[in-house]
Amino acid sequence: MATITFHGAAQEVTGSCHLLESPALGRVLLDCGLHQGGDAVERLHEETLPFDPHAIDAVVLSHAHLDHSGRLPLLVNRGFDGPIHCTEATVDLLELMLEDAAGLYLRDLERSNLRNRRRGKPLRKADYSRTDVHKALKLCQPHAYGDTWSLGPEATVCFHDAGHILGSAIVEITLTEKTQRKTLVFSGDLGKSDAVLMNDPTPLTHADLVMMEGTYGDRNHRSMDNTLAQLGEILTDTWARGGNVMIPSFAVGRTQEILFHLGRLHQQGALDNWQIFLDSPMAIKATRLYDRWFKLLDHNDVKHIRRSHHNALVDFLPNLNCAVSTDESMAINRVKAGAIIIAGSGMCTGGRIRHHFKQRIWNARNTLLFIGFQARNTLGRQLVDGARHIKLFQEDYVVKARIETLGGFSAHADQSELMRWIGHFEGSPRVVLVHGEPKALDTLSHKLWTENQRKCEIPAEGQSLVF
């Protein structure tokens, strides 16, 4: 019998990691993600791998976001040397994500050890190195959407477009145990059905067990028309106040979508004279990767770029300034008004956005605009929940900037879209809900039962199930 043990994203939205064991395929990890929130050095030091990395035969990766891929270098450091299966575009994005995360982690570790040295405390060793990142990347084996390939002696896998970010995949695994065929479908992160640049998530019809994410299982997003109207109102109001707009954004996915919409506003003559700064070297590189992979993206939205005789998202928005170096980032501080600053990280757990908070979050003329989900224990969640005082770089800051959230920009399917996607499955497959906070998963489970008589299971971290 096959067994699945949940080692992350179980009643939480970060740290996706599920161990699938069966004689048909050996021991395979579905994702190997990092938990987010808190100090980066402490967080990684506390990350555990509650299994023997040497005994893992392969990793099947749904997409490149760090909460699904961030523990790969740690896994390699602890002895894993098997294949990492993912889509072709994910290989390109993974290089950006893991290299950037390693750089931030090692710099934070250096600063932490500098403080420890001054205080006479023991120094902390790195939990992984750039060498581990490079080894993890070399282990990647890319596959195209729709191709079926072997995983173990009696198992096959097929990736389908999840519509979440570039290269994101729904994982379909078919295995045979004692002549009995079983199909497991792991949704990964499902995208919205109307997301610009991305295709709709692929509907599947057959499974014996479905592991589905439920990030927004308790709510529906605002319509895109209403969201864009809200964006316009926020920009107009902030412009009139003589302020700036700070947008914490995930380098992959949310950044490209907000750039697209700002580009549309510019093309329509409705962007005033805002100076727009993309202050994230990784987001800049990721945007260029999106340009390279346009063939995978939503053709109707890409037409808007082509129609304007532009060949790239960056060119689609000519008043965009890309800040790569630290000096270019710091120069943004000299702009006193009329700046839209897009910077990582998306949940404000690190990156350059925190430096912009230091310069502007205490000024009531400014606006802090969230366009993505904020997980528990992150600075972004504290701000969304109304925190009026925050700590940055060992100093306290008063929060006076206006806080706004644009729910329609989420990269995740909402409740109605999750219901629609699971509704395509014929019969009564076993349904397991992951990647969501307890309230969201409980609400989704209740709705699936009352409206569709689909019974759901919500595993806790460390729990196993047999199928």
Side-chain angles (χ1 to χ4, degrees):
M1 300 289 285
T3 302
I4 305 175
T5 306
F6 304 89
H7 293 300
Q11 301 184 34
E12 61 179 343
V13 297
T14 66
S16 179
C17 186
H18 314 290
L19 176 58
L20 175 61
E21 300 175 86
S22 167
L25 47 68
R27 306 182 83 230
V28 173
L29 286 182
L30 302 178
D31 288 345
C32 191
L34 190 67
H35 289 86
Q36 295 177 303
D39 177 83
V41 174
E42 292 294 335
R43 182 173 66 243
L44 187 62
H45 185 68
E46 293 171 359
E47 284 283 10
T48 60
L49 295 173
F51 42 78
D52 180 5
H54 293 89
I56 301 299
D57 296 298
V59 176
V60 178
L61 189 64
S62 66
H63 64 287
H65 274 154
L66 289 177
D67 63 321
H68 293 256
S69 70
R71 274 189 278 182
L72 288 174
L74 188 62
L75 186 72
V76 167
N77 178 273
R78 305 281 173 84
F80 171 75
D81 63 356
I84 299 171
H85 299 282
C86 56
T87 66
E88 297 167 309
T90 293
V91 175
D92 285 346
L93 285 177
L94 199 60
E95 181 176 1
L96 296 184
M97 304 294 281
L98 296 184
E99 288 279 8
D100 183 79
L104 291 174
Y105 164 63
L106 293 172
R107 284 194 293 273
D108 286 350
L109 178 64
E110 185 178 359
R111 284 193 290 265
S112 177
N113 278 335
L114 181 61
R115 289 194 299 269
N116 288 341
R117 188 178 291 110
R118 289 170 177 168
R119 297 169 183 172
K121 295 183 178 181
L123 303 185
R124 177 169 290 170
K125 293 182 179 180
D127 289 288
Y128 73 86
S129 68
R130 289 187 183 275
T131 299
D132 297 314
V133 172
H134 299 156
K135 183 176 179 181
L137 294 172
K138 289 180 180 178
L139 294 174
C140 288
Q141 294 188 11
H143 305 274
Y145 288 133
D147 287 353
T148 299
W149 42 275
S150 296
L151 178 69
E154 294 290 340
T156 60
V157 182
C158 184
F159 286 138
H160 305 276
D161 195 343
H164 175 62
I165 63 167
L166 184 65
S168 60
I170 299 163
V171 181
E172 180 183 20
I173 300 177
T174 301
L175 49 90
T176 302
E177 294 179 330
K178 297 181 179 179
T179 72
Q180 182 181 6
R181 286 171 59 85
K182 305 174 184 178
T183 299
L184 163 68
V185 172
F186 171 44
S187 73
D189 285 356
L190 295 171
K192 292 195 309 167
S193 60
D194 61 349
V196 299
L197 302 181
M198 301 307 301
N199 299 306
D200 290 352
T202 303
L204 302 181
T205 60
H206 173 73
D208 296 289
L209 187 149
V210 180
M211 289 171 52
M212 184 176 74
E213 70 121 318
T215 309
Y216 284 97
D218 59 345
R219 73 195 89 165
N220 289 318
H221 302 315
R222 296 187 69 178
S223 70
M224 187 50 66
D225 286 344
N226 288 338
T227 298
L228 294 176
Q230 183 187 1
L231 173 61
E233 292 169 2
I234 291 169
L235 294 179
T236 298
D237 180 72
T238 308
W239 181 270
R241 295 201 314 268
N244 305 278
V245 176
M246 296 172 286
I247 304 178
S249 186
F250 299 99
V252 179
R254 295 313 85 220
T255 291
Q256 290 72 40
E257 182 167 1
I258 192 67
L259 289 178
F260 176 85
H261 285 297
L262 292 173
R264 292 291 302 280
L265 288 174
H266 170 79
Q267 300 297 323
Q268 297 163 7
L271 196 56
D272 292 316
N273 290 314
W274 285 100
Q275 297 182 71
I276 301 168
F277 297 92
L278 179 52
D279 189 17
S280 167
M282 183 170 65
I284 294 166
K285 293 176 182 176
T287 301
R288 290 170 180 151
L289 280 179
Y290 267 66
D291 296 337
R292 185 191 306 173
W293 287 96
F294 263 163
K295 63 186 180 183
L296 289 183
L297 306 179
D298 185 278
H299 296 294
N300 290 325
D301 294 312
V302 170
K303 284 178 184 175
H304 288 295
I305 298 175
R306 301 298 190 196
R307 213 177 276 140
S308 301
H309 307 292
H310 296 285
N311 293 319
L313 276 167
V314 172
D315 296 333
F316 189 53
L317 187 56
N319 52 339
L320 175 67
N321 302 279
C322 293
V324 176
S325 70
T326 303
D327 288 343
E328 289 170 328
S329 177
M330 293 174 64
I332 301 172
N333 297 336
R334 296 196 290 268
V335 181
K336 301 306 179 185
I340 297 174
I341 305 164
I342 305 165
S345 66
M347 296 185 189
C348 313
T349 55
R352 293 181 177 181
I353 193 66
R354 293 164 71 97
H355 293 276
H356 293 295
F357 285 177
K358 181 178 178 181
Q359 299 294 325
R360 304 175 192 272
I361 203 166
W362 44 265
N363 189 329
R365 291 179 301 177
N366 297 326
T367 298
L368 172 55
L369 181 58
F370 288 99
I371 59 174
F373 187 84
Q374 304 300 308
R376 288 177 298 181
N377 303 318
T378 65
L379 176 58
R381 182 64 165 266
Q382 293 174 35
L383 289 164
V384 167
D385 287 346
R388 305 315 299 172
H389 295 82
I390 61 173
K391 185 176 285 290
L392 293 169
F393 310 109
Q394 311 302 316
E395 295 182 13
D396 293 318
Y397 288 85
V398 177
V399 179
K400 293 185 178 180
R402 174 183 174 185
I403 310 295
E404 295 283 353
T405 299
L406 293 182
F409 277 117
S410 172
H412 289 266
D414 64 15
Q415 184 190 77
S416 63
E417 291 164 330
L418 291 169
M419 295 280 290
R420 187 161 56 248
W421 185 79
I422 196 75
H424 288 286
F425 285 93
E426 300 169 351
S428 301
R430 192 173 178 182
V431 178
V432 177
L433 299 181
V434 295
H435 203 286
E437 293 179 359
K439 177 178 176 291
L441 299 184
D442 287 341
T443 301
L444 180 60
S445 176
H446 178 73
K447 193 171 183 68
L448 282 167
W449 173 249
T450 56
E451 295 190 10
N452 302 102
Q453 286 69 59
R454 289 187 185 272
K455 187 177 181 180
C456 301
E457 299 170 65
I458 304 175
E461 186 165 350
Q463 184 177 337
S464 300
L465 63 83
V466 177
F467 81 100

